[in-house]
Amino acid sequence: MKRSVSVAVLTLIQLMLAVWLALLVPVGVAWLVLAAAALLYGLFLFLSPLRSFTLLVAVILLHAFAAVAQGWKFGWDVGTQFQSIVLQLVVLGLAAASWAQAAELRRWARQYEEAQRQIAALRKMDEAVSVLSANEFKDRLKAIVVSLRRRNEPGVIIFVSIPSHVVGFGGRRYAPEAVLQVVGETALASVRDQFDIVGRISPTTIAIVLQRCDREGAHRALRRFHWLLLRQRRLRADVVMSWVRVEDLSVFQGWPAVEALLEEFGADDAVSVRRRGG
């Protein structure tokens, strides 16, 4: 609320200075100054805070020196110098108000982005795909790794990495988000409800964790996954199965090894590097 009031006050100041400027100089000159102020405002928004402040100081100094040089060259009297000072104050006030408003808007945008990141971190479910969010998945997986290690039990993690372009039946193209929705729903139907977990670890990768499960058990789960894929008529089951990679949970190497595995398969740069499972 306080930031909204600040932006509104600065906008009011800009409007008042613009009207004052129009009363001091001819209309053509006023429009030229306002166009320059609009250009400066755009630069203030685009540049970093330090660079935008440096630009403001440079504009103030350049304008002041130009006015002093002009007064010395034409030999202005006291009255003309006073009018020039008033005009300088209006123009520089307009520039300063534009810089302050741009700085407020940049801070506002940064706070909004940070709030969105915090909300995403706190969110337990990925709303687009209806599986666990990346942070919630990692938290639960960490507890699972500790539990499996304590009981000396095996575990398996299955990765399904979606390429950027997917062609379904009839040559229809699907966006990765739509494909992830199908894969997520199928994965959830393939696992044990209160025992295994399914999460989205990156924009293009679904991960499935099977507790107390070895490679043979993982292949049984994948056969059910394949069977369920065959029942839907959007994506080709054989194509989806070609994206699947199976990895043993390195529970005896501790959580750092498992986390490194998540980072490797969760990297967004290329699915092609994920060819070592099977």
Side-chain angles (χ1 to χ4, degrees), residues 169-206:
F169 287 104
R172 182 178 177 181
R173 287 186 173 270
Y174 287 92
E177 202 75 14
V179 179
L180 282 166
Q181 182 69 45
V182 175
V183 172
E185 292 174 355
T186 307
L188 287 170
S190 304
V191 301
R192 298 162 290 184
D193 289 341
Q194 302 299 323
F195 204 63
D196 304 319
I197 61 173
V198 180
R200 184 179 185 178
I201 62 172
S202 84
T204 58
T205 302
I206 293 286

Coordinates of all heavy atoms in Angstrom, one line a residue, residues 169-206:
F169 N -0.9 -39.4 -31.8 CA -1.6 -40.1 -32.9 C -2.2 -39.1 -33.9 O -2.6 -38.0 -33.6 CB -2.7 -40.9 -32.3 CG -2.3 -42.1 -31.5 CD1 -2.2 -42.2 -30.1 CD2 -1.9 -43.3 -32.2 CE1 -1.8 -43.3 -29.4 CE2 -1.4 -44.4 -31.5 CZ -1.4 -44.4 -30.1
G170 N -2.1 -39.5 -35.2 CA -2.6 -38.7 -36.2 C -1.7 -37.5 -36.6 O -2.2 -36.6 -37.2
G171 N -0.5 -37.6 -36.1 CA 0.5 -36.5 -36.4 C 0.2 -35.2 -35.6 O 0.8 -34.2 -35.9
R172 N -0.6 -35.3 -34.6 CA -0.9 -34.1 -33.8 C 0.3 -33.8 -32.9 O 0.8 -34.6 -32.2 CB -2.2 -34.3 -33.0 CG -2.6 -33.1 -32.1 CD -3.8 -33.3 -31.4 NE -4.2 -32.2 -30.5 CZ -5.2 -32.2 -29.7 NH1 -6.0 -33.2 -29.6 NH2 -5.5 -31.1 -29.0
R173 N 0.6 -32.5 -32.8 CA 1.7 -32.0 -32.0 C 1.2 -31.6 -30.6 O 0.2 -31.0 -30.5 CB 2.5 -30.9 -32.6 CG 3.3 -31.3 -33.8 CD 4.2 -30.1 -34.3 NE 5.1 -30.5 -35.4 CZ 6.3 -31.0 -35.1 NH1 6.8 -31.0 -33.9 NH2 7.1 -31.3 -36.1
Y174 N 2.0 -32.0 -29.6 CA 1.6 -31.6 -28.2 C 2.7 -30.8 -27.6 O 3.9 -31.1 -27.8 CB 1.4 -32.9 -27.4 CG 0.2 -33.7 -27.7 CD1 0.2 -34.7 -28.7 CD2 -1.0 -33.4 -27.1 CE1 -1.0 -35.4 -29.0 CE2 -2.2 -34.1 -27.4 CZ -2.2 -35.1 -28.3 OH -3.3 -35.7 -28.6
A175 N 2.3 -29.8 -26.8 CA 3.2 -29.0 -26.0 C 3.7 -29.9 -24.8 O 3.0 -30.7 -24.4 CB 2.6 -27.7 -25.5
P176 N 5.0 -29.6 -24.4 CA 5.5 -30.4 -23.2 C 4.6 -30.4 -22.0 O 4.5 -31.4 -21.3 CB 6.8 -29.7 -22.9 CG 7.2 -29.1 -24.2 CD 6.0 -28.7 -24.9
E177 N 3.9 -29.3 -21.7 CA 3.0 -29.2 -20.6 C 1.8 -30.2 -20.7 O 1.5 -30.9 -19.7 CB 2.4 -27.8 -20.4 CG 2.0 -27.4 -19.0 CD 3.1 -27.2 -18.1 OE1 4.3 -27.0 -18.6 OE2 2.9 -27.1 -16.9
A178 N 1.3 -30.3 -21.9 CA 0.2 -31.3 -22.1 C 0.7 -32.7 -21.9 O 0.0 -33.6 -21.4 CB -0.4 -31.1 -23.5
V179 N 1.9 -33.0 -22.4 CA 2.5 -34.3 -22.3 C 2.8 -34.7 -20.9 O 2.5 -35.8 -20.4 CB 3.8 -34.4 -23.2 CG1 4.4 -35.8 -23.0 CG2 3.5 -34.1 -24.6
L180 N 3.3 -33.7 -20.1 CA 3.6 -33.9 -18.7 C 2.3 -34.2 -17.9 O 2.4 -35.0 -17.0 CB 4.3 -32.6 -18.1 CG 5.8 -32.5 -18.5 CD1 6.2 -31.1 -18.1 CD2 6.6 -33.5 -17.7
Q181 N 1.2 -33.6 -18.3 CA 0.0 -33.9 -17.7 C -0.4 -35.3 -17.8 O -0.8 -36.0 -16.9 CB -1.1 -33.0 -18.2 CG -2.5 -33.1 -17.6 CD -2.5 -32.6 -16.2 OE1 -2.0 -31.6 -15.9 NE2 -3.1 -33.4 -15.3
V182 N -0.3 -35.8 -19.1 CA -0.6 -37.2 -19.3 C 0.3 -38.2 -18.6 O -0.1 -39.2 -18.0 CB -0.6 -37.5 -20.9 CG1 -0.8 -39.0 -21.1 CG2 -1.6 -36.7 -21.6
V183 N 1.6 -37.9 -18.7 CA 2.6 -38.7 -18.0 C 2.4 -38.7 -16.5 O 2.5 -39.8 -15.8 CB 4.0 -38.3 -18.4 CG1 5.1 -39.0 -17.5 CG2 4.3 -38.5 -19.9
G184 N 2.2 -37.5 -15.9 CA 1.9 -37.4 -14.5 C 0.7 -38.2 -14.0 O 0.8 -39.0 -13.0
E185 N -0.4 -38.1 -14.7 CA -1.6 -38.8 -14.4 C -1.4 -40.4 -14.5 O -1.8 -41.1 -13.6 CB -2.7 -38.4 -15.3 CG -3.2 -37.0 -15.1 CD -4.3 -36.6 -16.1 OE1 -4.5 -37.4 -17.1 OE2 -4.8 -35.5 -16.0
T186 N -0.7 -40.8 -15.5 CA -0.4 -42.2 -15.7 C 0.5 -42.7 -14.7 O 0.4 -43.8 -14.1 CB 0.2 -42.4 -17.1 OG1 -0.6 -41.8 -18.1 CG2 0.4 -43.9 -17.4
A187 N 1.6 -41.9 -14.3 CA 2.5 -42.3 -13.2 C 1.8 -42.5 -11.9 O 2.0 -43.4 -11.2 CB 3.6 -41.3 -13.1
L188 N 0.9 -41.6 -11.6 CA 0.2 -41.6 -10.3 C -0.7 -42.9 -10.3 O -0.9 -43.5 -9.2 CB -0.7 -40.4 -10.1 CG 0.1 -39.1 -9.8 CD1 -0.9 -37.9 -9.9 CD2 0.7 -39.2 -8.4
A189 N -1.3 -43.3 -11.4 CA -2.1 -44.5 -11.4 C -1.3 -45.7 -11.4 O -1.8 -46.8 -11.2 CB -3.0 -44.4 -12.7
S190 N 0.0 -45.6 -11.6 CA 0.9 -46.8 -11.7 C 1.5 -47.2 -10.4 O 2.0 -48.3 -10.3 CB 2.0 -46.6 -12.8 OG 1.4 -46.2 -14.0
V191 N 1.6 -46.3 -9.5 CA 2.3 -46.5 -8.2 C 1.4 -46.8 -7.1 O 0.2 -46.7 -7.2 CB 3.2 -45.3 -7.9 CG1 4.2 -45.0 -9.1 CG2 2.4 -44.1 -7.6
R192 N 2.0 -47.2 -5.9 CA 1.3 -47.5 -4.7 C 0.9 -46.1 -4.1 O 1.8 -45.3 -3.8 CB 2.1 -48.3 -3.8 CG 2.4 -49.7 -4.4 CD 3.5 -50.4 -3.7 NE 4.8 -49.7 -4.0 CZ 6.0 -50.2 -3.5 NH1 6.1 -51.3 -2.8 NH2 7.1 -49.5 -3.8
D193 N -0.4 -45.9 -3.8 CA -0.9 -44.6 -3.4 C -0.1 -43.9 -2.3 O 0.4 -42.8 -2.4 CB -2.3 -44.6 -3.1 CG -3.2 -44.9 -4.3 OD1 -2.7 -44.6 -5.4 OD2 -4.3 -45.3 -4.2
Q194 N -0.1 -44.6 -1.1 CA 0.5 -44.0 0.1 C 2.0 -44.4 0.3 O 2.5 -44.2 1.4 CB -0.3 -44.4 1.3 CG -1.8 -44.1 1.2 CD -2.0 -42.6 1.1 OE1 -1.3 -41.8 1.7 NE2 -3.0 -42.2 0.3
F195 N 2.6 -44.9 -0.7 CA 3.9 -45.5 -0.5 C 5.0 -44.9 -1.4 O 6.1 -44.5 -1.0 CB 3.9 -47.0 -0.7 CG 4.9 -47.7 0.0 CD1 5.0 -47.7 1.4 CD2 5.9 -48.5 -0.7 CE1 6.1 -48.4 2.1 CE2 6.9 -49.2 0.0 CZ 7.0 -49.1 1.3
D196 N 4.6 -44.7 -2.7 CA 5.5 -44.2 -3.7 C 5.1 -42.7 -3.9 O 4.0 -42.3 -3.6 CB 5.5 -45.0 -5.0 CG 5.8 -46.5 -4.7 OD1 6.7 -46.7 -3.9 OD2 5.1 -47.3 -5.3
I197 N 6.1 -42.0 -4.5 CA 5.8 -40.6 -4.8 C 6.1 -40.2 -6.3 O 7.0 -40.9 -6.9 CB 6.6 -39.6 -3.9 CG1 8.1 -39.8 -4.0 CG2 6.2 -39.8 -2.4 CD1 9.0 -38.8 -3.3
V198 N 5.4 -39.2 -6.8 CA 5.6 -38.8 -8.1 C 5.7 -37.2 -8.1 O 4.9 -36.6 -7.5 CB 4.5 -39.2 -9.1 CG1 4.7 -38.6 -10.5 CG2 4.3 -40.7 -9.1
G199 N 6.8 -36.7 -8.7 CA 7.0 -35.2 -8.7 C 7.5 -34.7 -10.0 O 8.1 -35.5 -10.8
R200 N 7.4 -33.4 -10.1 CA 8.0 -32.7 -11.3 C 9.3 -32.0 -10.8 O 9.2 -31.1 -10.1 CB 7.0 -31.7 -11.8 CG 7.5 -31.0 -13.1 CD 6.4 -30.0 -13.6 NE 6.7 -29.4 -14.8 CZ 5.9 -28.5 -15.5 NH1 4.8 -28.2 -15.0 NH2 6.3 -28.0 -16.6
I201 N 10.4 -32.5 -11.3 CA 11.7 -32.0 -10.8 C 12.3 -30.9 -11.7 O 13.3 -30.3 -11.3 CB 12.7 -33.1 -10.6 CG1 13.0 -33.8 -11.9 CG2 12.2 -34.1 -9.5 CD1 14.2 -34.8 -11.8
S202 N 11.7 -30.7 -12.8 CA 12.1 -29.6 -13.7 C 10.9 -29.3 -14.7 O 10.0 -30.1 -14.7 CB 13.4 -30.0 -14.5 OG 13.0 -30.8 -15.6
P203 N 11.0 -28.3 -15.5 CA 9.9 -28.0 -16.4 C 9.6 -29.2 -17.4 O 8.6 -29.2 -18.0 CB 10.4 -26.8 -17.1 CG 11.3 -26.1 -16.2 CD 12.0 -27.2 -15.4
T204 N 10.6 -30.1 -17.6 CA 10.4 -31.1 -18.6 C 10.6 -32.5 -18.1 O 10.7 -33.5 -18.8 CB 11.4 -30.9 -19.8 OG1 12.8 -30.9 -19.2 CG2 11.2 -29.6 -20.5
T205 N 10.7 -32.7 -16.8 CA 11.0 -34.0 -16.2 C 10.1 -34.4 -15.0 O 9.9 -33.6 -14.1 CB 12.5 -34.1 -15.8 OG1 13.3 -33.8 -16.9 CG2 12.8 -35.5 -15.3
I206 N 9.5 -35.6 -15.2 CA 8.8 -36.2 -14.1 C 9.6 -37.3 -13.4 O 10.3 -38.1 -14.2 CB 7.5 -36.9 -14.6 CG1 6.5 -35.8 -15.2 CG2 6.8 -37.8 -13.6 CD1 5.8 -35.0 -14.1

